[in-house]
PDB file of all heavy atoms in Angstrom:
ATOM      1  N   VAL A   1      71.346  75.312  64.468  1.00  0.00           N
ATOM      2  CA  VAL A   1      72.538  75.439  63.573  1.00  0.00           C
ATOM      3  C   VAL A   1      73.833  75.456  64.428  1.00  0.00           C
ATOM      4  O   VAL A   1      74.786  74.815  64.081  1.00  0.00           O
ATOM      5  CB  VAL A   1      72.404  76.752  62.763  1.00  0.00           C
ATOM      6  CG1 VAL A   1      73.683  76.972  61.960  1.00  0.00           C
ATOM      7  CG2 VAL A   1      71.256  76.648  61.819  1.00  0.00           C
ATOM      8  N   ARG A   2      73.805  76.292  65.482  1.00  0.00           N
ATOM      9  CA  ARG A   2      75.037  76.350  66.333  1.00  0.00           C
ATOM     10  C   ARG A   2      75.336  74.962  66.949  1.00  0.00           C
ATOM     11  O   ARG A   2      76.488  74.592  67.011  1.00  0.00           O
ATOM     12  CB  ARG A   2      74.818  77.395  67.427  1.00  0.00           C
ATOM     13  CG  ARG A   2      74.702  78.812  66.907  1.00  0.00           C
ATOM     14  CD  ARG A   2      74.973  79.833  67.991  1.00  0.00           C
ATOM     15  NE  ARG A   2      74.100  79.633  69.165  1.00  0.00           N
ATOM     16  CZ  ARG A   2      72.868  80.212  69.262  1.00  0.00           C
ATOM     17  NH1 ARG A   2      72.443  81.040  68.277  1.00  0.00           N
ATOM     18  NH2 ARG A   2      72.152  80.037  70.351  1.00  0.00           N
ATOM     19  N   ARG A   3      74.274  74.265  67.387  1.00  0.00           N
ATOM     20  CA  ARG A   3      74.499  72.956  67.963  1.00  0.00           C
ATOM     21  C   ARG A   3      75.097  71.968  66.961  1.00  0.00           C
ATOM     22  O   ARG A   3      76.035  71.279  67.285  1.00  0.00           O
ATOM     23  CB  ARG A   3      73.126  72.440  68.485  1.00  0.00           C
ATOM     24  CG  ARG A   3      73.194  71.036  69.131  1.00  0.00           C
ATOM     25  CD  ARG A   3      71.790  70.390  69.149  1.00  0.00           C
ATOM     26  NE  ARG A   3      71.358  70.145  67.782  1.00  0.00           N
ATOM     27  CZ  ARG A   3      70.071  70.004  67.463  1.00  0.00           C
ATOM     28  NH1 ARG A   3      69.099  70.159  68.369  1.00  0.00           N
ATOM     29  NH2 ARG A   3      69.742  69.734  66.192  1.00  0.00           N
ATOM     30  N   ASP A   4      74.512  71.960  65.745  1.00  0.00           N
ATOM     31  CA  ASP A   4      75.008  71.003  64.759  1.00  0.00           C
ATOM     32  C   ASP A   4      76.412  71.373  64.245  1.00  0.00           C
ATOM     33  O   ASP A   4      77.228  70.495  63.948  1.00  0.00           O
ATOM     34  CB  ASP A   4      74.026  70.951  63.556  1.00  0.00           C
ATOM     35  CG  ASP A   4      72.809  70.102  63.817  1.00  0.00           C
ATOM     36  OD1 ASP A   4      72.708  69.562  64.962  1.00  0.00           O
ATOM     37  OD2 ASP A   4      71.903  70.031  62.993  1.00  0.00           O
ATOM     38  N   GLU A   5      76.707  72.659  64.197  1.00  0.00           N
ATOM     39  CA  GLU A   5      78.015  73.066  63.802  1.00  0.00           C
ATOM     40  C   GLU A   5      79.090  72.616  64.816  1.00  0.00           C
ATOM     41  O   GLU A   5      80.170  72.137  64.432  1.00  0.00           O
ATOM     42  CB  GLU A   5      78.137  74.585  63.639  1.00  0.00           C
ATOM     43  CG  GLU A   5      77.449  75.089  62.350  1.00  0.00           C
ATOM     44  CD  GLU A   5      77.538  76.599  62.236  1.00  0.00           C
ATOM     45  OE1 GLU A   5      77.936  77.281  63.204  1.00  0.00           O
ATOM     46  OE2 GLU A   5      77.168  77.126  61.133  1.00  0.00           O
ATOM     47  N   LYS A   6      78.732  72.734  66.091  1.00  0.00           N
ATOM     48  CA  LYS A   6      79.632  72.278  67.163  1.00  0.00           C
ATOM     49  C   LYS A   6      79.847  70.777  67.090  1.00  0.00           C
ATOM     50  O   LYS A   6      80.945  70.265  67.181  1.00  0.00           O
ATOM     51  CB  LYS A   6      79.053  72.690  68.535  1.00  0.00           C
ATOM     52  CG  LYS A   6      79.944  72.277  69.714  1.00  0.00           C
ATOM     53  CD  LYS A   6      79.351  72.827  70.984  1.00  0.00           C
ATOM     54  CE  LYS A   6      80.231  72.531  72.224  1.00  0.00           C
ATOM     55  NZ  LYS A   6      80.330  71.105  72.499  1.00  0.00           N
ATOM     56  N   LYS A   7      78.691  70.022  66.925  1.00  0.00           N
ATOM     57  CA  LYS A   7      78.780  68.610  66.789  1.00  0.00           C
ATOM     58  C   LYS A   7      79.603  68.129  65.598  1.00  0.00           C
ATOM     59  O   LYS A   7      80.381  67.193  65.680  1.00  0.00           O
ATOM     60  CB  LYS A   7      77.350  68.054  66.693  1.00  0.00           C
ATOM     61  CG  LYS A   7      77.237  66.516  66.593  1.00  0.00           C
ATOM     62  CD  LYS A   7      75.765  66.091  66.474  1.00  0.00           C
ATOM     63  CE  LYS A   7      75.637  64.596  66.221  1.00  0.00           C
ATOM     64  NZ  LYS A   7      74.214  64.193  66.098  1.00  0.00           N
ATOM     65  N   ALA A   8      79.393  68.829  64.445  1.00  0.00           N
ATOM     66  CA  ALA A   8      80.134  68.529  63.250  1.00  0.00           C
ATOM     67  C   ALA A   8      81.620  68.726  63.405  1.00  0.00           C
ATOM     68  O   ALA A   8      82.407  67.886  62.991  1.00  0.00           O
ATOM     69  CB  ALA A   8      79.590  69.311  62.054  1.00  0.00           C
ATOM     70  N   ARG A   9      81.998  69.813  64.035  1.00  0.00           N
ATOM     71  CA  ARG A   9      83.427  70.101  64.188  1.00  0.00           C
ATOM     72  C   ARG A   9      84.038  69.103  65.157  1.00  0.00           C
ATOM     73  O   ARG A   9      85.172  68.619  64.909  1.00  0.00           O
ATOM     74  CB  ARG A   9      83.605  71.541  64.728  1.00  0.00           C
ATOM     75  CG  ARG A   9      85.071  71.963  64.859  1.00  0.00           C
ATOM     76  CD  ARG A   9      85.203  73.458  64.937  1.00  0.00           C
ATOM     77  NE  ARG A   9      84.869  74.075  63.664  1.00  0.00           N
ATOM     78  CZ  ARG A   9      85.748  74.295  62.687  1.00  0.00           C
ATOM     79  NH1 ARG A   9      86.971  73.942  62.832  1.00  0.00           N
ATOM     80  NH2 ARG A   9      85.356  74.908  61.593  1.00  0.00           N
ATOM     81  N   GLU A  10      83.352  68.707  66.190  1.00  0.00           N
ATOM     82  CA  GLU A  10      83.865  67.706  67.127  1.00  0.00           C
ATOM     83  C   GLU A  10      84.018  66.374  66.433  1.00  0.00           C
ATOM     84  O   GLU A  10      85.062  65.701  66.637  1.00  0.00           O
ATOM     85  CB  GLU A  10      82.923  67.538  68.336  1.00  0.00           C
ATOM     86  CG  GLU A  10      82.951  68.725  69.302  1.00  0.00           C
ATOM     87  CD  GLU A  10      81.870  68.649  70.351  1.00  0.00           C
ATOM     88  OE1 GLU A  10      80.990  67.772  70.262  1.00  0.00           O
ATOM     89  OE2 GLU A  10      81.942  69.478  71.308  1.00  0.00           O
ATOM     90  N   ARG A  11      83.056  65.965  65.603  1.00  0.00           N
ATOM     91  CA  ARG A  11      83.190  64.712  64.860  1.00  0.00           C
ATOM     92  C   ARG A  11      84.294  64.805  63.850  1.00  0.00           C
ATOM     93  O   ARG A  11      85.086  63.817  63.731  1.00  0.00           O
ATOM     94  CB  ARG A  11      81.860  64.383  64.173  1.00  0.00           C
ATOM     95  CG  ARG A  11      81.947  63.054  63.416  1.00  0.00           C
ATOM     96  CD  ARG A  11      80.593  62.579  62.887  1.00  0.00           C
ATOM     97  NE  ARG A  11      80.693  61.371  62.085  1.00  0.00           N
ATOM     98  CZ  ARG A  11      80.835  60.135  62.591  1.00  0.00           C
ATOM     99  NH1 ARG A  11      80.878  59.940  63.887  1.00  0.00           N
ATOM    100  NH2 ARG A  11      80.920  59.113  61.789  1.00  0.00           N
ATOM    101  N   ALA A  12      84.449  65.892  63.140  1.00  0.00           N
ATOM    102  CA  ALA A  12      85.502  66.096  62.181  1.00  0.00           C
ATOM    103  C   ALA A  12      86.877  65.966  62.845  1.00  0.00           C
ATOM    104  O   ALA A  12      87.794  65.298  62.335  1.00  0.00           O
ATOM    105  CB  ALA A  12      85.378  67.385  61.418  1.00  0.00           C
ATOM    106  N   GLU A  13      87.027  66.590  63.985  1.00  0.00           N
ATOM    107  CA  GLU A  13      88.304  66.548  64.704  1.00  0.00           C
ATOM    108  C   GLU A  13      88.622  65.098  65.179  1.00  0.00           C
ATOM    109  O   GLU A  13      89.731  64.650  65.100  1.00  0.00           O
ATOM    110  CB  GLU A  13      88.254  67.451  65.924  1.00  0.00           C
ATOM    111  CG  GLU A  13      88.277  68.950  65.561  1.00  0.00           C
ATOM    112  CD  GLU A  13      88.027  69.859  66.714  1.00  0.00           C
ATOM    113  OE1 GLU A  13      87.639  69.315  67.838  1.00  0.00           O
ATOM    114  OE2 GLU A  13      88.236  71.053  66.614  1.00  0.00           O
ATOM    115  N   TRP A  14      87.557  64.400  65.601  1.00  0.00           N
ATOM    116  CA  TRP A  14      87.749  63.001  66.027  1.00  0.00           C
ATOM    117  C   TRP A  14      88.171  62.125  64.822  1.00  0.00           C
ATOM    118  O   TRP A  14      89.074  61.285  64.927  1.00  0.00           O
ATOM    119  CB  TRP A  14      86.479  62.431  66.662  1.00  0.00           C
ATOM    120  CG  TRP A  14      86.639  61.084  67.187  1.00  0.00           C
ATOM    121  CD1 TRP A  14      87.095  60.699  68.458  1.00  0.00           C
ATOM    122  CD2 TRP A  14      86.347  59.858  66.469  1.00  0.00           C
ATOM    123  NE1 TRP A  14      87.155  59.342  68.520  1.00  0.00           N
ATOM    124  CE2 TRP A  14      86.685  58.802  67.366  1.00  0.00           C
ATOM    125  CE3 TRP A  14      85.869  59.579  65.232  1.00  0.00           C
ATOM    126  CZ2 TRP A  14      86.529  57.452  67.009  1.00  0.00           C
ATOM    127  CZ3 TRP A  14      85.722  58.241  64.849  1.00  0.00           C
ATOM    128  CH2 TRP A  14      86.031  57.204  65.755  1.00  0.00           C
ATOM    129  N   LEU A  15      87.476  62.329  63.709  1.00  0.00           N
ATOM    130  CA  LEU A  15      87.825  61.517  62.519  1.00  0.00           C
ATOM    131  C   LEU A  15      89.229  61.783  62.018  1.00  0.00           C
ATOM    132  O   LEU A  15      89.943  60.863  61.577  1.00  0.00           O
ATOM    133  CB  LEU A  15      86.789  61.830  61.405  1.00  0.00           C
ATOM    134  CG  LEU A  15      85.427  61.143  61.515  1.00  0.00           C
ATOM    135  CD1 LEU A  15      84.416  61.731  60.526  1.00  0.00           C
ATOM    136  CD2 LEU A  15      85.533  59.624  61.324  1.00  0.00           C
ATOM    137  N   MET A  16      89.610  63.067  62.076  1.00  0.00           N
ATOM    138  CA  MET A  16      91.007  63.366  61.609  1.00  0.00           C
ATOM    139  C   MET A  16      92.023  62.740  62.532  1.00  0.00           C
ATOM    140  O   MET A  16      93.072  62.298  62.092  1.00  0.00           O
ATOM    141  CB  MET A  16      91.147  64.906  61.507  1.00  0.00           C
ATOM    142  CG  MET A  16      90.428  65.456  60.277  1.00  0.00           C
ATOM    143  SD  MET A  16      90.845  67.154  59.930  1.00  0.00           S
ATOM    144  CE  MET A  16      90.159  67.933  61.355  1.00  0.00           C
ATOM    145  N   GLU A  17      91.721  62.677  63.849  1.00  0.00           N
ATOM    146  CA  GLU A  17      92.657  61.995  64.716  1.00  0.00           C
ATOM    147  C   GLU A  17      92.646  60.482  64.421  1.00  0.00           C
ATOM    148  O   GLU A  17      93.750  59.852  64.376  1.00  0.00           O
ATOM    149  CB  GLU A  17      92.230  62.227  66.204  1.00  0.00           C
ATOM    150  CG  GLU A  17      93.159  61.618  67.191  1.00  0.00           C
ATOM    151  CD  GLU A  17      92.795  61.918  68.645  1.00  0.00           C
ATOM    152  OE1 GLU A  17      91.812  62.703  68.845  1.00  0.00           O
ATOM    153  OE2 GLU A  17      93.432  61.382  69.553  1.00  0.00           O
ATOM    154  N   TYR A  18      91.485  59.914  64.197  1.00  0.00           N
ATOM    155  CA  TYR A  18      91.368  58.493  63.890  1.00  0.00           C
ATOM    156  C   TYR A  18      92.150  58.118  62.642  1.00  0.00           C
ATOM    157  O   TYR A  18      92.736  57.013  62.592  1.00  0.00           O
ATOM    158  CB  TYR A  18      89.827  58.156  63.697  1.00  0.00           C
ATOM    159  CG  TYR A  18      89.538  56.697  63.430  1.00  0.00           C
ATOM    160  CD1 TYR A  18      89.223  55.870  64.507  1.00  0.00           C
ATOM    161  CD2 TYR A  18      89.436  56.203  62.169  1.00  0.00           C
ATOM    162  CE1 TYR A  18      88.880  54.551  64.278  1.00  0.00           C
ATOM    163  CE2 TYR A  18      89.083  54.880  61.927  1.00  0.00           C
ATOM    164  CZ  TYR A  18      88.858  54.046  63.035  1.00  0.00           C
ATOM    165  OH  TYR A  18      88.494  52.739  62.818  1.00  0.00           O
ATOM    166  N   LEU A  19      92.141  58.992  61.648  1.00  0.00           N
ATOM    167  CA  LEU A  19      92.826  58.706  60.359  1.00  0.00           C
ATOM    168  C   LEU A  19      94.167  59.425  60.249  1.00  0.00           C
ATOM    169  O   LEU A  19      94.692  59.556  59.157  1.00  0.00           O
ATOM    170  CB  LEU A  19      91.926  59.130  59.204  1.00  0.00           C
ATOM    171  CG  LEU A  19      90.648  58.277  59.072  1.00  0.00           C
ATOM    172  CD1 LEU A  19      89.663  58.921  58.072  1.00  0.00           C
ATOM    173  CD2 LEU A  19      90.960  56.878  58.647  1.00  0.00           C
ATOM    174  N   ASN A  20      94.729  59.854  61.410  1.00  0.00           N
ATOM    175  CA  ASN A  20      96.027  60.496  61.424  1.00  0.00           C
ATOM    176  C   ASN A  20      96.153  61.721  60.491  1.00  0.00           C
ATOM    177  O   ASN A  20      97.115  61.871  59.718  1.00  0.00           O
ATOM    178  CB  ASN A  20      97.120  59.448  61.040  1.00  0.00           C
ATOM    179  CG  ASN A  20      97.197  58.291  62.035  1.00  0.00           C
ATOM    180  OD1 ASN A  20      97.134  58.548  63.236  1.00  0.00           O
ATOM    181  ND2 ASN A  20      97.340  57.102  61.514  1.00  0.00           N
ATOM    182  N   LEU A  21      95.149  62.580  60.608  1.00  0.00           N
ATOM    183  CA  LEU A  21      95.135  63.757  59.724  1.00  0.00           C
ATOM    184  C   LEU A  21      95.201  65.057  60.520  1.00  0.00           C
ATOM    185  O   LEU A  21      95.196  66.164  59.982  1.00  0.00           O
ATOM    186  CB  LEU A  21      93.833  63.767  58.910  1.00  0.00           C
ATOM    187  CG  LEU A  21      93.681  62.725  57.819  1.00  0.00           C
ATOM    188  CD1 LEU A  21      92.249  62.646  57.295  1.00  0.00           C
ATOM    189  CD2 LEU A  21      94.707  62.953  56.679  1.00  0.00           C
ATOM    190  N   THR A  22      95.273  64.969  61.867  1.00  0.00           N
ATOM    191  CA  THR A  22      95.217  66.138  62.725  1.00  0.00           C
ATOM    192  C   THR A  22      96.319  67.137  62.367  1.00  0.00           C
ATOM    193  O   THR A  22      96.113  68.357  62.350  1.00  0.00           O
ATOM    194  CB  THR A  22      95.328  65.737  64.202  1.00  0.00           C
ATOM    195  OG1 THR A  22      94.245  64.810  64.497  1.00  0.00           O
ATOM    196  CG2 THR A  22      95.233  66.983  65.117  1.00  0.00           C
ATOM    197  N   SER A  23      97.481  66.629  62.055  1.00  0.00           N
ATOM    198  CA  SER A  23      98.622  67.539  61.828  1.00  0.00           C
ATOM    199  C   SER A  23      98.489  68.350  60.552  1.00  0.00           C
ATOM    200  O   SER A  23      99.208  69.349  60.358  1.00  0.00           O
ATOM    201  CB  SER A  23      99.932  66.711  61.734  1.00  0.00           C
ATOM    202  OG  SER A  23      99.902  65.793  60.661  1.00  0.00           O
ATOM    203  N   VAL A  24      97.579  67.944  59.625  1.00  0.00           N
ATOM    204  CA  VAL A  24      97.390  68.679  58.398  1.00  0.00           C
ATOM    205  C   VAL A  24      96.022  69.368  58.294  1.00  0.00           C
ATOM    206  O   VAL A  24      95.620  69.789  57.235  1.00  0.00           O
ATOM    207  CB  VAL A  24      97.610  67.760  57.176  1.00  0.00           C
ATOM    208  CG1 VAL A  24      99.017  67.247  57.134  1.00  0.00           C
ATOM    209  CG2 VAL A  24      96.612  66.607  57.152  1.00  0.00           C
ATOM    210  N   ALA A  25      95.318  69.484  59.421  1.00  0.00           N
ATOM    211  CA  ALA A  25      93.944  69.975  59.446  1.00  0.00           C
ATOM    212  C   ALA A  25      93.761  71.311  58.762  1.00  0.00           C
ATOM    213  O   ALA A  25      92.808  71.536  58.088  1.00  0.00           O
ATOM    214  CB  ALA A  25      93.392  70.015  60.837  1.00  0.00           C
ATOM    215  N   GLY A  26      94.764  72.205  58.942  1.00  0.00           N
ATOM    216  CA  GLY A  26      94.612  73.560  58.378  1.00  0.00           C
ATOM    217  C   GLY A  26      95.288  73.740  57.028  1.00  0.00           C
ATOM    218  O   GLY A  26      95.243  74.841  56.486  1.00  0.00           O
ATOM    219  N   ARG A  27      95.831  72.675  56.470  1.00  0.00           N
ATOM    220  CA  ARG A  27      96.548  72.822  55.191  1.00  0.00           C
ATOM    221  C   ARG A  27      95.603  72.642  54.004  1.00  0.00           C
ATOM    222  O   ARG A  27      94.601  71.907  54.098  1.00  0.00           O
ATOM    223  CB  ARG A  27      97.670  71.813  55.124  1.00  0.00           C
ATOM    224  CG  ARG A  27      98.807  72.098  56.110  1.00  0.00           C
ATOM    225  CD  ARG A  27      99.919  71.067  56.017  1.00  0.00           C
ATOM    226  NE  ARG A  27     100.535  70.971  54.708  1.00  0.00           N
ATOM    227  CZ  ARG A  27     101.506  70.157  54.419  1.00  0.00           C
ATOM    228  NH1 ARG A  27     101.971  69.330  55.319  1.00  0.00           N
ATOM    229  NH2 ARG A  27     102.054  70.120  53.194  1.00  0.00           N
ATOM    230  N   GLY A  28      95.905  73.246  52.878  1.00  0.00           N
ATOM    231  CA  GLY A  28      95.150  73.065  51.683  1.00  0.00           C
ATOM    232  C   GLY A  28      95.375  71.640  51.143  1.00  0.00           C
ATOM    233  O   GLY A  28      96.487  71.114  51.146  1.00  0.00           O
ATOM    234  N   VAL A  29      94.308  71.019  50.637  1.00  0.00           N
ATOM    235  CA  VAL A  29      94.424  69.617  50.235  1.00  0.00           C
ATOM    236  C   VAL A  29      95.286  69.462  49.006  1.00  0.00           C
ATOM    237  O   VAL A  29      95.902  68.406  48.776  1.00  0.00           O
ATOM    238  CB  VAL A  29      93.031  69.001  49.995  1.00  0.00           C
ATOM    239  CG1 VAL A  29      92.175  68.994  51.262  1.00  0.00           C
ATOM    240  CG2 VAL A  29      92.263  69.741  48.877  1.00  0.00           C
ATOM    241  N   GLY A  30      95.363  70.508  48.157  1.00  0.00           N
ATOM    242  CA  GLY A  30      96.155  70.432  46.938  1.00  0.00           C
ATOM    243  C   GLY A  30      97.607  70.253  47.124  1.00  0.00           C
ATOM    244  O   GLY A  30      98.309  69.766  46.213  1.00  0.00           O
TER     245      GLY A  30
END
């Protein structure tokens, strides 16, 4: 679980950078 959570967060961070979303990562989507 810990391994997959780490892998998932790393992939999510990479995808947000890829799609120019890093600056809004902590904001509510609404």
